[in-house]
Amino acid sequence: MRARAFDPPSIPPAFWDRPQVIAALRQRDMGALFTLLRDYAGLSQTRIGTATELGQGRVSEIVHGTRTIAATHVFERIANGLAMPDPARLLLSLSPRHPPASTPPGTTTRGRLGQNADLLRQITAARSIDRSVVRVLQGETDTIRLLDRRLGAPAVAAKLEAHITHIETSLRYSLRPGNRQQLAAVLADASALAGWQAIDMARLPHAWAHFERATAAAREADDPCLLAFAAGEQAYVLLDLHRPAEALAMVRAAYAETHQAIPHQVRGWLRAAEAEMAAAAGQEAACRTALDHAAQEVGHTPAGEDLPYLALNEIHLARWRGNCLVLFGDPQTADELTTALAAMDGFTRAEAGLRCDLAAALHVRGEHAEAKHHLKQARDLAQVTGSARQRRRVRDLTRRIAKAA
């Protein structure tokens, strides 16, 4: 029977254990929580609004970030309306509805026995994870990464979320320090990939939560490369929030913390990211200096298979350089981007961004017909990959070109 708007919502208990839900509750991000309820519990805004006594209109405003919640009694109303279990209420900084009853010494309830058995089952299952299983888990991340680069984030986002949940559960119940460290590294890599996907799909609160998990896991793994990469990517959330100065400071802090322990390739990547943040902040001199440093680092040796999450060589750096310098009207930008475009292979989403930059450079140079051609190609590629971020760039550039005409 089809659920009606005024029926009490039926939310699977496992929903409240999802990492994204836990992050949303900890941050008191009700917009993210309502979105997750739609995606994973099938609740419409109308049903959420009815259950929480907020109304569909207010739920929509919260989801889109035009309205926030600060009052405790409103959080209480949401928790009650959604029948949140006590662990979820505690994450939201609310009192439990059912305080634990005192149990006489020496007694054990059937429910507690069941919980203990489940805990032992999880711990026992985690014992089977060894180096070969970790390699399989890492291989799954690498496969999803390849599909993401070619097909776009929406095509594999759900698969990656399930993969992360599996890794996180394995890590939570793993007892061996060596296994924990290896699992944490896999979790950091997968979470950073999920963060970048969320940025691409314009889900910035989700992206921030993914990167927070990635950096925490990288610290447990004691892997400075993963830490530098995750922290550097997290700065792009600030960039897309139009806070370039803070994004620049974040990348520089990541470099200061890790540069002595990371190889040339990762240092080069951080320097290139620094250049992009500096360009967005309008700091041309700092941008060019960072690009020069990046070129020196990349010149030592390209990224190899030991850093599967890092795609950086002379061609990718040329694309990055063009992306930065197009903001300053550099006359050489179009030539550099054209060279980079000829060597692009298998990076569909990146090609969309490159063509967008090339269209901007050609327009500045007065080659309007060619600029429109690349802008159309960028629009088509962004559509294929479902990239909200690239679609926004294409839309903004189209408006600027039309305004200048």
Side-chain angles (χ1 to χ4, degrees):
M1 181 177 175
R2 185 177 179 181
R4 295 171 298 178
F6 293 95
D7 290 341
S10 178
I11 302 171
F15 171 82
W16 303 105
D17 294 329
R18 298 187 69 88
Q20 314 98 297
V21 175
I22 292 172
L25 292 171
R26 281 176 176 160
Q27 298 169 20
R28 287 194 151 191
D29 186 349
M30 295 299 96
L33 179 65
F34 293 162
T35 300
L36 291 165
L37 284 166
R38 178 199 65 195
D39 293 346
Y40 296 108
L43 298 188
S44 66
Q45 291 183 0
T46 300
R47 292 196 72 199
I48 295 172
T50 302
T52 59
E53 302 178 20
L54 294 174
Q56 185 275 329
R58 188 173 179 186
V59 169
S60 178
E61 291 174 346
I62 293 169
V63 168
H64 289 94
T66 59
R67 190 162 185 167
T68 58
I69 297 173
T72 299
H73 74 274
V74 180
F75 287 111
E76 186 79 38
R77 189 194 312 164
I78 292 171
N80 293 342
L82 297 176
M84 278 188 196
D86 284 348
R89 294 174 63 90
L90 290 171
L91 289 170
L92 202 56
S93 300
L94 299 177
S95 300
R97 296 188 69 180
H98 306 290
S102 58
T103 304
T107 64
T108 305
T109 65
R110 182 178 301 175
R112 185 172 298 171
L113 281 172
Q115 293 172 358
N116 290 348
D118 185 62
L119 174 59
L120 285 171
R121 181 183 62 79
Q122 297 278 17
I123 293 172
T124 302
R127 288 178 188 162
S128 64
I129 295 177
D130 55 17
R131 290 181 180 273
S132 62
V133 175
V134 171
R135 283 196 297 270
V136 171
L137 292 172
Q138 182 60 56
E140 181 73 7
T141 302
D142 294 338
T143 298
I144 295 172
R145 187 180 358 260
L146 175 62
L147 294 173
D148 168 69
R149 288 171 177 172
R150 298 195 177 188
L151 304 180
V156 292
K159 183 179 181 68
L160 181 57
E161 292 278 2
H163 180 54
I164 288 172
T165 299
H166 182 200
I167 301 168
E168 195 167 33
T169 300
S170 300
L171 175 61
R172 183 180 302 128
Y173 296 103
S174 181
L175 303 179
R176 302 173 186 172
N179 282 4
R180 288 189 63 88
Q181 196 170 29
Q182 293 175 49
L183 283 168
V186 179
L187 179 61
D189 185 10
S191 297
L193 176 57
W196 190 254
Q197 286 187 344
I199 288 177
D200 190 54
M201 293 186 289
R203 299 175 180 175
L204 299 185
H206 293 71
W208 191 267
H210 284 307
F211 287 127
E212 283 291 299
R213 183 176 57 237
T215 53
R219 291 186 189 282
E220 179 167 359
D222 194 23
D223 191 320
C225 291
L226 281 167
L227 178 60
F229 186 71
E233 283 200 320
Q234 189 170 14
Y236 281 88
V237 179
L238 294 171
L239 190 64
D240 280 17
L241 288 171
H242 309 293
R243 307 296 288 268
E246 292 176 20
L248 178 59
M250 189 171 191
V251 171
R252 285 174 171 169
Y255 182 86
E257 179 180 356
T258 63
H259 74 279
Q260 292 183 338
I262 58 180
H264 293 293
Q265 305 99 306
V266 186
R267 289 205 295 265
W269 186 90
L270 277 176
R271 287 297 200 182
E274 178 186 350
E276 186 170 354
M277 307 306 169
Q283 300 179 23
E284 183 173 359
C287 170
R288 290 183 179 276
T289 298
L291 285 171
D292 290 341
H293 286 309
Q296 292 171 8
E297 299 289 1
V298 173
H300 282 276
T301 177
E305 294 182 359
D306 57 328
L307 299 169
Y309 45 86
L310 196 66
L312 183 62
N313 53 28
E314 286 81 359
I315 298 302
H316 287 287
L317 185 58
R319 175 176 63 85
W320 220 330
R321 179 180 175 85
N323 172 263
C324 296
L325 298 185
V326 70
L327 297 178
F328 304 113
D330 189 305
Q332 295 182 346
T333 300
D335 295 334
E336 292 180 342
L337 289 170
T338 300
T339 301
L341 179 62
M344 288 296 292
D345 182 28
F347 291 81
T348 309
R349 183 174 55 218
E351 183 181 340
L354 191 156
R355 286 186 181 275
C356 191
D357 292 331
L358 182 54
L362 290 169
H363 177 73
V364 170
R365 208 158 72 175
E367 300 178 27
H368 303 304
E370 191 69 10
K372 289 181 180 179
H373 166 73
H374 286 290
L375 190 57
K376 180 182 182 304
Q377 292 287 95
R379 184 182 297 110
D380 292 344
L381 289 170
Q383 196 66 34
V384 167
T385 60
S387 173
R389 191 170 191 255
Q390 296 299 342
R391 285 201 300 268
R392 185 185 69 242
R393 293 188 64 209
V394 169
R395 184 173 60 249
D396 291 346
L397 179 57
T398 301
R399 288 173 179 169
R400 289 203 306 272
I401 289 176
K403 187 176 180 180

